[in-house]
């Protein structure tokens, strides 16, 4: 509830731009509130860009977006198929969750846009996830990712660079005043570098005392399993928390195939059973942390378009 309250307040206060990108965008109770709010902002002259994944949001009909398009909202679906039953890029899904308001405020994390995050939905008692609201220089790094995905979806390059340059200058003036150091890490099949896998690997190998991992799915490759075992055998306390109530049974069963060797090395494994856990978080030594859209699995590392924030700050971690 807190996430959507803050998100809607920021959208209500938007003066120039709203950029929205979700893997799953629904027109349920939360979606209707968002669309109604966006419709009002469009009438006020705010430019609205909406990008959603064509497979993740497959239940979202074009007719449900008509009021927005009639008011000049710019809407694209990521890797949309030209043929209803054939999509040669079906595997390459955009799993990112980004909302940027006036190029200055960012909402991101593991949360899609749907009522299940408040009610748990039909299948779960509750839904556990993590989201973050950021102001500052990192916002423009996420904007660059949004623009790239927008262009890859057939969107036009009509972004006003003068407005972006203005925000860059603002951030330069405020850089020394921020108490937080943050970094964005993104990856996808459009690069040879599995950046987020490398990020997770670097966090694991840099740990001296403790590693805390939360992910609904756990399907690592042999290198990450080895790094976790080496860290645990070296005296690093590792706690891994995964879904105890699965939404997909096959990934749930696959995760279990890694348990024996990790438990033997000293890794503690927890199943979250108070609903469905969807957050993707890692905390190392209470000093460095990451959260975002990347699950601890090879689909997120190799195939999906993902993005995480990294926080070099004890207070946040």
């Amino acid at each position: 509830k807190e996430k959507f309250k803050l998100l809607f307040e920021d959208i209500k206060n938007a003066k120039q731009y709203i950029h929205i990108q979700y893997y799953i965008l629904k027109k349920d109770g939360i979606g209707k509130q968002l669309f109604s709010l966006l419709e009002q902002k469009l009438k006020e002259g705010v430019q609205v860009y909406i990008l959603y994944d064509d497979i993740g949001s497959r239940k979202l009909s074009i007719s449900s977006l008509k009021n927005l398009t009639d008011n000049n909202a710019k809407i694209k679906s990521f890797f949309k198929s030209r043929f209803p039953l054939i999509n040669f890029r079906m595997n390459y899904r955009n799993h990112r969750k980004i909302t940027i308001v006036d190029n200055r405020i960012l909402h991101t994390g593991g949360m899609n846009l749907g009522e299940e995050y408040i009610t748990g939905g039909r299948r779960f008692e509750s839904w556990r996830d993590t989201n973050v609201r950021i102001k500052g220089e990192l916002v423009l790094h996420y904007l660059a990712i949004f623009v790239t995905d927008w262009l890859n979806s057939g969107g036009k390059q009509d972004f006003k660079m003068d407005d972006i340059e203005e925000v860059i200058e603002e951030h330069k003036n405020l850089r020394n005043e921020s108490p937080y150091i943050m970094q964005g890490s993104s990856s996808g099949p459009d690069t040879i570098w599995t950046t987020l896998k490398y990020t997770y690997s670097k966090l694991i190998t840099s740990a001296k005392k403790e590693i805390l991992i939360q992910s609904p799915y756990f399907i690592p490759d042999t290198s990450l399993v080895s790094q976790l075992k080496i860290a645990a055998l070296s005296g690093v306390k590792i706690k891994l928390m995964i879904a105890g109530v699965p939404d997909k049974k096959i990934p749930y069963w696959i995760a279990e195939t890694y348990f024996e060797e990790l438990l033997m090395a000293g890794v503690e494994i927890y199943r979250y059973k108070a609903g469905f856990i969807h957050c993707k978080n890692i905390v190392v030594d209470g000093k460095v942390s990451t959260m975002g859209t990347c699950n601890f699995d090879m689909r997120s590392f190799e195939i999906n378009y993902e993005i995480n924030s990294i926080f070099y700050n004890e207070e946040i971690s």
Side-chain angles (χ1 to χ4, degrees), residues 194 197 200 224 294-303:
T194 53
K197 178 188 167 186
Y200 285 15
L224 288 170
C294 185
N295 293 304
F296 208 108
D297 69 13
M298 295 313 296
R299 169 167 284 278
S300 280
F301 294 144
E302 302 276 0
I303 300 175

Side-chain angles (χ1 to χ4, degrees), residues 10-105:
D10 287 333
I11 290 175
K12 285 179 184 176
N13 294 325
K15 300 293 188 293
Q16 295 176 293
Y17 306 103
I18 300 169
H19 300 89
I20 292 176
Q21 177 175 352
Y22 283 100
Y23 174 63
I24 299 175
L25 185 60
K26 296 182 178 180
K27 196 176 182 182
D28 54 13
I30 288 292
K32 288 177 182 177
Q33 289 182 53
L34 174 67
F35 293 167
S36 177
L37 189 54
L38 292 175
E39 189 178 338
Q40 179 59 41
K41 299 310 294 186
L42 286 161
K43 291 176 180 177
E44 294 174 11
V46 175
Q47 294 186 41
V48 174
Y49 296 80
I50 299 174
L51 178 61
Y52 61 89
D53 187 80
D54 191 56
I55 300 297
S57 301
R58 58 190 176 276
K59 294 182 181 180
L60 186 67
S61 64
I62 296 176
S63 60
S64 64
L65 302 171
K66 188 175 186 303
N67 287 346
L68 294 174
T69 54
D70 286 348
N71 283 283
N72 298 317
K74 300 169 184 178
I75 303 174
K76 292 290 180 182
S77 61
F78 191 84
F79 280 179
K80 185 176 179 62
S81 175
R82 294 182 180 181
F83 309 101
L85 300 177
I86 302 174
N87 189 338
F88 294 107
R89 296 182 292 183
M90 180 181 291
N91 239 348
Y92 305 113
R93 302 327 315 163
N94 198 312
H95 199 232
R96 294 166 180 159
K97 293 93 173 169
I98 301 171
T99 299
I100 301 171
V101 177
D102 289 338
N103 299 337
R104 292 172 173 84
I105 299 173

Side-chain angles (χ1 to χ4, degrees), residues 80 116 168 187 195:
K80 185 176 179 62
E116 64 269 20
I168 291 173
S187 63
T195 310

Side-chain angles (χ1 to χ4, degrees), residues 196 199-201 203-204 210-215 228 239 279-285 288-292 294-296 301 308-311 317:
L196 278 161
T199 299
Y200 285 15
S201 176
L203 288 169
I204 292 167
E210 182 184 62
I211 304 170
L212 307 176
I213 301 171
Q214 287 179 310
S215 175
L228 287 170
K239 295 184 178 182
C279 48
K280 309 93 167 55
N281 304 324
I282 300 178
V283 183
V284 173
D285 294 338
V288 182
S289 58
T290 183
M291 57 83 67
C294 185
N295 293 304
F296 208 108
F301 294 144
N308 271 39
S309 298
I310 305 163
F311 307 100
S317 298

Side-chain angles (χ1 to χ4, degrees), residues 1-8 10-11 19 21-24 95-101 105-114 117-118 127-135 138 142 182 214 277-281 289-294 307-309 311 316:
K1 290 181 180 178
E2 184 183 7
K3 175 257 169 87
F4 293 117
K5 178 183 177 183
L6 291 170
L7 176 66
F8 290 169
D10 287 333
I11 290 175
H19 300 89
Q21 177 175 352
Y22 283 100
Y23 174 63
I24 299 175
H95 199 232
R96 294 166 180 159
K97 293 93 173 169
I98 301 171
T99 299
I100 301 171
V101 177
I105 299 173
L106 165 69
H107 289 263
T108 189
M111 298 175 69
N112 290 294
L113 204 135
Y117 290 93
I118 296 176
W127 197 289
R128 173 73 179 91
D129 216 325
T130 308
N131 213 71
V132 65
R133 178 183 184 271
I134 294 172
K135 295 175 70 176
L138 189 63
Y142 273 77
M182 304 177 188
Q214 287 179 310
I277 188 168
H278 190 252
C279 48
K280 309 93 167 55
N281 304 324
S289 58
T290 183
M291 57 83 67
T293 70
C294 185
I307 189 163
N308 271 39
S309 298
F311 307 100
I316 294 177

Side-chain angles (χ1 to χ4, degrees), residues 154-167:
K156 294 181 179 179
Q157 169 57 293
D158 57 358
F159 301 93
K160 294 184 178 179
M161 294 307 300
D162 289 345
D163 293 336
I164 295 173
E165 291 289 342
E166 180 183 335
V167 180

